Amino acid sequence: MSNTFIVSNRLPVRLDDAGKPVRTTGGLASALAGSGIEATWVGWPGIASEQMENEAQLVATLKESGIVPVILGEEIIDGYYHGYANSTVWPLLHYMIERARFEPEWFPFYEKANRAFAEAILDVVEDSDTVWIHDYHLFLLPRMLRESGKKLRIAFFLHTPFPSSEIFRALSERRKILEGLLGADLIGFHTYNYLRHFRSAVLRVLGVESNVGSVQQEQREVSLGVYPIGHDHRGFSKAMQTAEYQDALNRHAAELAEKKLFISVERLDYTKGIPQKLDAIRLFLKENEAERAKIVFVIIAVPSRGDVDEYVQLTEEVQREVGAINGKYGTVGHAPVQFLHRSFPQPELAALYALADACLVTPLIDGMNLVAKEYIDCKNESTGGRPGVLILSEFAGAAQELSHAIMVNPYDVTETARAITQALTMSDNDKQKRTLAMQDRLRRSDSSAWATTILNEVKAIPLTVREVNATTQFPMITGRVVKAVQEGGRASLFLDYDGTLRDFVSKPEDAVPDPELLPLFDRLCAIPGLDVAVVSGRPLEFLDQHFPNPALTLVAEHGYRWRRPDTDGWELVHEHIDTDWIDVVMPLLEQAVDLTPGSHLEEKQSSIVWHYRQTDPEFGLWRAHGLLAELTDVTASLPVAVHHGKKIVEVASQLVNKGQAVKALISDWHPNIAIVAGDDQTDETMFALELGNELDFVSVKVGDEGATRAKRRTDIRGLRNFLVQLSEELGTDPALKR
Ligand code: GDG
C-alpha cells in the first residue's frame, strides 16, 4: 500500500512548557483530518537543535505520533527561514521588491535546509508513495526528491501569490527555483492569475513553453492546476458547539451592548495592509462624528516573525497609529480602535466572527485569505450569529470567489472609508442575502475538499508516465539492423543534426558536435554494410568543418547539396533549381527582422530562414504567425514551401527537401533496412517517404512535442544509446571488423 506524506516547513505541533510536543489543529492539519486521508507529516518542529534539551527523545516522541521531524541548527534556520524564505522570497512573491533583502549568504542555507528535508523524506518513503510539499520554503525540494530516483508522486502547492515574471526574475536564484519546482508531478496555485505568471516565468527564465495545464519536462509532464484553498469548516462548526464559544458570545455581546463591531483578523504582516486600514478608519471617524461612540474596530493581529526587523518596525508603526486615532477620536469610556496583538482560541474567534457587523479584510495582496471565508461561514443564526457583511480587498485571492462582498481597493483610503459607511448602513436583509449567496459553496469547498481534490489528482498520475524510456523501444530495431548486416545485406542511417544528435543552444554556431559523437561516427562508418548520413539544414561549411570523416555522407541545407563518400566533395542534389522567388519573399523577411528585435535571417542556397529564438518568446511567436500569413499569400503560386519550425520560419525551394535527398540516397544504396531520425518539421519529409514493402523503413521522431508522421518516438539520449549499441554490436563482431 502506498503512503502519503505531507511536507511543510512547520509541523502541526507546539512544544508545551515541559518541552513535550503537543499536536495543534487548524489549517492543513484539520483539512487532512476532515478529509479522512491518513498522512505522515514531515517538517521542522519549530526550535533549533541547539535549543532542544533532549533531541533524541523529542525525535522519538514525534516519530511515535507519526511525525517525521527535520532537525535544523540555528545557523541554517537563520539563513533559510528568517533569511531567504521570509526576508527575500516572501516579499518578492507579494510584489514588495523594496522590502526584499538580497543577501548572497542566505541561499546556501536555503539549499541545505531543503536538502535536510529531502534526506528526512527519503529515509521514510518507498516507491509509489505520494509526497505533497507546501509553500515557498521548499521550492527546491521537488527536484531533490525526483533526482533521488525513487518512484514518487510529488505534488507542490504554493500558498502565496506567484508574481509577474518581471518581479520574479529579480531573484538571482530564479532558475534553480523554477527547476526545483518542476521536479513535481503537479503544481497547484490558488488562482489562475498565479498559474499564468508561473508559466510566463518558466517561459522567460527557462525558455520553456507550456500549456495552461502542463509543462513538458524531458520525458515527464508536470501538471499545473488551480485549487483555491477552503477554510476549516468542520473545525469552526465544532468550535461553535462548545461552551467556550457560547460563553464568549454572551460576554462579547454584553460588552458591546448597542455598539457595532467591525472586526479584522490577521497575522501582523506588511502584506495585510494594516496601516492603510487604519488610515481608512481614521478618515471614517473624522468624517462621521456622530458614529464615533457607536462603533468599535477590533483588530486582532497575531504576532508573526518577530525575529525579522521589518515586522518589529511594523508592529511599532501600527501601535503608534492606533494610539494616535484613539487619542484623537476616543472618549473617556470608549476607544474606537482596539488593537489585540495576540492569538485567540478558535471558539472565541468564531464568536467574534458571529457577532461582528462587518469584517474588514483589506490585504494589499494575499494568496487567498481564509479569514474572509471563515467570517462568512460563522454567520449562522442557529448558533447566535448576527447579520454581517464582508469588506474585502480586490487583491486577495479570495476576491475571485467572494463576489458578494463589498469590494475595495485597499490603497484607496477614501473608498475603504466609504465601504465602512456602506456596511454600517446596510440593512440586515441585504447582509443576509449576500452571506447566503456565498455560504453554501464555501462550506462545500472547504479545506478537506481542497486537500482531497489535490491528493486524488496527484495519485491519479500514473507512475509509468515518466518511465517512458525511449531506449527501451530500440532493442528490436538494433536486432533488425544487426541481422541485415550480418546476413550480408545493407542498412542505412539518416540522421538529422540539431535537436536530434545534439541539443539546441541559443547561438547555432555553438552547437558543435560533442566529444563522443565524432568517434561514434568513426566507429559506425567503419562497419561494412552500414551507410550513415547526417541530413541537416546547416550550410555545407559547418558540416564540412565539424564532420571530417570522408566515409560519412553529409546532406546540407535541407537536401540542397550533398557530400558523398568516394566523391570529390560537394554536389548539388538537383541540377536545376529555380531561385527567382527569393526576390519576392526577401522584402517580407527583411521587414520581419526590422520589426522584431533579436531576430535575424540566414540565407542558404535554396532557402531563407528567419530565426527568432533570441527574441522575446511571446512577441517572436506572434510575429512568426504574422509572417507566415503574409508568406502564404505571397508564395501561393511560387515553387516554394513555407514552414514554421522550432523558432524559425523557413522559405525553401519545393524540390529541395530532406525527404527527396534521402530517397535519392536510398535508391543509390539499396538498403534492406533504413532508419530516419529527426526532431522538427523539416524531418517530416523524411518520415513521410513511401518506399514500398521491400524496404524495412523505420521513422523515429526525437522529442515528444507536436504531431508527427514518424512511427516511433525517442529522445536525444535514446537515439544516442541506440547508435552506441549498434556500434558495439556490429563493431565487436570479429567477422565484420576491418
Ligand atoms: C497563507 C497565505 C492563504 C488568525 N488569528 C487567529 C487565528 N488565525 C487563523 C485564521 C486563518 C489563519 O490564521 C490565517 O490565514 P490567512 O489565509 O488569512 O493568512 P496567512 O496566515 O497569511 O496564510 C494566505 C493561506 O496561507 C492558506 O493557503 O490564504 O493567503 O498568506 O485560518 O483563522 N486562529 C486562531 N486564533 C487567532 O487569533 N485560532
Side-chain angles (χ1 to χ4, degrees):
M1 205 190 86
S2 71
N3 293 315
T4 303
F5 293 82
I6 304 292
V7 189
S8 65
N9 171 58
R10 283 299 299 272
L11 285 170
V13 290
R14 63 177 177 78
L15 301 181
D16 67 11
D17 294 342
K20 288 242 164 63
V22 184
R23 292 284 288 238
T24 54
T25 52
L28 266 182
S30 326
L32 288 159
S35 64
I37 294 162
E38 284 200 16
T40 303
W41 280 83
V42 184
W44 173 49
I47 56 166
S49 52
E50 291 87 343
Q51 308 294 322
M52 292 177 179
E53 271 183 23
N54 188 339
E55 183 182 319
Q57 198 188 344
L58 180 71
V59 170
T61 322
L62 287 171
K63 285 196 168 158
E64 268 165 33
S65 49
I67 284 177
V68 178
V70 180
I71 306 299
L72 303 172
E74 266 163 11
E75 200 186 20
I76 295 194
I77 293 165
D78 255 7
Y80 145 72
Y81 179 67
H82 301 306
Y84 196 73
N86 284 335
S87 302
T88 308
V89 177
W90 170 269
L92 214 74
L93 293 172
H94 290 85
Y95 287 80
M96 302 198 173
I97 196 163
E98 74 290 350
R99 289 191 188 264
R101 283 182 51 203
F102 298 93
E103 304 284 349
E105 65 270 25
W106 284 345
F107 188 72
F109 289 114
Y110 185 81
E111 276 180 314
K112 276 190 191 149
N114 274 250
R115 181 68 59 200
F117 272 80
E119 281 164 9
I121 295 165
L122 291 168
D123 264 356
V124 291
V125 288
E126 284 172 13
D127 280 353
S128 87
D129 283 349
T130 299
V131 182
W132 184 10
I133 303 162
H134 292 263
D135 236 356
Y136 60 95
H137 313 88
L138 301 171
F139 278 147
L140 307 178
L141 185 53
R143 178 152 304 270
M144 288 178 177
L145 295 179
R146 172 76 57 221
E147 284 173 351
S148 74
K150 278 238 170 91
K151 289 176 193 148
L152 302 171
R153 294 188 173 90
I154 306 170
F156 183 95
F157 188 83
L158 182 64
H159 289 261
T160 68
F162 195 96
S164 146
S165 61
E166 300 293 327
I167 297 279
F168 179 76
R169 68 184 192 184
L171 273 180
S172 332
E173 302 79 12
R174 57 211 180 168
R175 286 189 73 87
K176 282 190 179 166
I177 288 182
L178 293 176
E179 285 165 356
L181 269 171
L182 289 172
D185 294 298
L186 178 135
I187 306 175
F189 303 90
H190 285 307
T191 72
Y192 173 66
N193 274 343
Y194 308 156
L195 184 155
R196 184 167 65 82
H197 290 315
F198 175 73
R199 287 184 58 211
S200 134
V202 167
L203 178 65
R204 278 152 203 285
V205 175
L206 299 181
V208 173
E209 285 173 6
S210 58
N211 301 314
V212 174
S214 65
V215 186
Q216 196 63 44
Q217 284 285 288
E218 292 149 17
Q219 290 298 306
R220 287 183 313 119
E221 191 174 80
V222 181
S223 302
L224 306 177
V226 175
Y227 310 94
I229 194 171
H231 68 294
D232 178 16
H233 168 57
R234 222 175 287 238
F236 274 91
S237 301
K238 263 202 207 153
M240 290 165 90
Q241 305 299 326
T242 60
E244 207 182 340
Y245 167 80
Q246 264 313 321
D247 177 53
L249 199 69
N250 297 339
R251 195 161 27 89
H252 291 309
E255 280 163 6
L256 283 167
E258 294 300 304
K259 283 181 194 168
K260 300 283 185 190
L261 170 62
F262 277 47
I263 196 171
S264 71
V265 179
E266 54 240 330
R267 272 184 315 101
L268 206 143
D269 192 291
Y270 46 77
T271 59
K272 302 290 180 182
I274 304 175
Q276 289 78 358
K277 178 156 45 196
L278 288 171
D279 285 347
I281 292 173
R282 180 196 274 272
L283 181 62
F284 168 81
L285 292 170
K286 178 175 169 228
E287 291 181 345
N288 295 278
E289 196 179 342
E291 307 298 334
R292 283 178 202 162
K294 299 183 204 155
I295 187 166
V296 54
F297 294 92
V298 170
I299 298 179
I300 295 178
V302 183
S304 176
R305 302 176 193 168
D307 300 319
V308 177
D309 283 352
E310 294 277 328
Y311 288 75
V312 177
Q313 284 161 21
L314 178 68
T315 310
E316 287 168 6
E317 182 191 342
V318 169
Q319 280 166 339
R320 246 195 332 270
E321 179 63 6
V322 169
I325 297 176
N326 285 335
K328 187 144 178 129
Y329 299 111
T331 60
V332 172
H334 177 69
V337 183
Q338 290 183 16
F339 176 62
L340 307 176
H341 191 207
R342 60 179 189 272
S343 174
F344 286 79
Q346 199 181 25
E348 175 121 16
L349 196 62
L352 288 166
Y353 284 148
L355 284 176
D357 298 275
C359 184
L360 269 164
V361 177
T362 55
L364 302 177
I365 179 162
D366 212 337
M368 173 53 69
N369 195 292
L370 291 173
V371 169
K373 296 186 171 186
E374 292 161 3
Y375 175 70
I376 301 289
D377 191 11
C378 290
K379 287 294 168 207
N380 199 341
E381 230 179 310
S382 65
T383 44
R386 288 190 196 162
V389 65
L390 175 66
I391 298 174
L392 180 60
S393 161
E394 59 186 88
F395 303 130
Q400 305 204 353
E401 291 171 81
L402 304 178
S403 53
H404 290 80
I406 301 176
M407 229 46 102
V408 293
N409 168 358
Y411 292 95
D412 185 341
V413 172
T414 316
E415 188 181 52
T416 310
R418 220 181 294 131
I420 296 175
T421 308
Q422 188 189 346
L424 200 61
T425 52
M426 188 177 281
S427 70
D428 283 355
N429 191 20
D430 193 358
K431 286 178 185 164
Q432 271 156 344
K433 265 205 226 147
R434 286 171 181 253
T435 302
L436 285 176
M438 300 185 276
Q439 219 168 33
D440 272 358
R441 203 199 137 269
L442 280 191
R443 288 177 181 165
R444 272 197 316 275
S445 24
D446 66 353
S447 54
S448 302
W450 167 81
T452 311
T453 307
I454 295 183
L455 280 172
N456 283 347
E457 289 204 9
V458 72
K459 282 170 195 270
I461 295 175
L463 279 167
T464 48
V465 161
R466 51 197 132 78
E467 286 166 8
V468 180
N469 184 350
T471 56
T472 60
Q473 301 182 7
F474 276 100
M476 253 171 43
I477 307 173
T478 316
R480 267 145 57 191
V481 175
V482 171
K483 185 164 179 277
V485 173
Q486 285 176 340
E487 286 176 357
R490 297 196 76 81
S492 309
L493 302 178
F494 300 97
L495 309 167
D496 166 50
Y497 177 62
D498 294 280
T500 300
L501 288 170
R502 65 151 299 149
D503 255 331
F504 281 98
V505 294
S506 56
K507 284 196 198 141
E509 60 272 24
D510 291 344
V512 297
D514 58 81
E516 282 170 12
L517 190 60
L518 295 186
L520 176 60
F521 273 141
D522 290 344
R523 290 200 302 276
L524 290 170
C525 290
I527 297 168
L530 183 68
D531 296 300
V532 188
V534 171
V535 186
S536 167
R538 293 274 186 166
L540 60 91
E541 294 80 6
F542 179 91
L543 297 182
D544 237 356
Q545 184 186 348
H546 294 291
F547 295 97
N549 187 340
L552 183 67
T553 297
L554 298 175
V555 178
E557 296 175 4
H558 298 117
Y560 182 65
R561 288 177 201 263
W562 57 25
R563 189 195 77 186
R564 288 178 295 169
D566 314 321
T567 59
D568 279 350
W570 292 89
E571 293 163 354
L572 290 175
V573 175
H574 307 276
E575 283 305 323
H576 302 291
I577 290 179
D578 167 18
T579 50
D580 291 352
W581 53 268
I582 291 181
D583 295 340
V584 184
V585 300
M586 198 50 127
L588 286 179
L589 294 164
E590 282 172 344
Q591 192 189 30
V593 171
D594 293 346
L595 294 177
T596 320
S599 72
H600 68 274
L601 285 187
E602 185 189 357
E603 291 183 45
K604 302 182 185 177
Q605 306 289 345
S606 69
S607 71
I608 308 173
V609 188
W610 179 68
H611 289 264
Y612 64 96
R613 184 169 292 279
Q614 280 159 306
T615 67
D616 175 283
E618 273 161 338
F619 183 62
L621 185 63
W622 180 66
R623 280 267 184 253
H625 286 306
L627 178 62
L628 280 165
E630 288 174 334
L631 286 171
T632 311
D633 247 14
V634 168
T635 60
S637 55
L638 298 175
V640 297
V642 177
H643 95 268
H644 191 186
K646 285 189 182 157
K647 307 280 185 187
I648 59 144
V649 172
E650 177 168 39
V651 190
S653 186
Q654 228 164 36
L655 241 195
V656 178
N657 61 53
K658 291 180 175 181
Q660 291 302 323
V662 169
K663 193 174 173 184
L665 287 172
I666 285 179
S667 58
D668 231 25
W669 292 342
H670 301 296
N672 305 81
I673 177 167
I675 290 157
V676 293
D679 70 306
D680 78 5
Q681 205 56 37
T682 61
D683 302 310
E684 293 292 324
T685 56
M686 302 196 283
F687 303 151
L689 285 175
E690 292 191 6
L691 300 160
N693 295 335
E694 296 289 287
L695 176 69
D696 183 0
F697 183 67
V698 182
S699 51
V700 185
K701 161 101 173 174
V702 177
D704 34 25
E705 280 169 32
T708 181
R709 300 185 68 165
K711 296 286 187 294
R712 289 165 192 272
R713 281 187 196 259
T714 185
D715 57 11
I716 293 180
R717 192 171 34 93
L719 181 71
R720 185 66 71 93
N721 288 348
F722 159 70
L723 296 175
V724 170
Q725 205 183 351
L726 209 56
S727 78
E728 282 168 0
E729 295 211 10
L730 287 173
T732 52
D733 185 337
L736 295 166
K737 265 192 176 159
R738 283 207 292 198

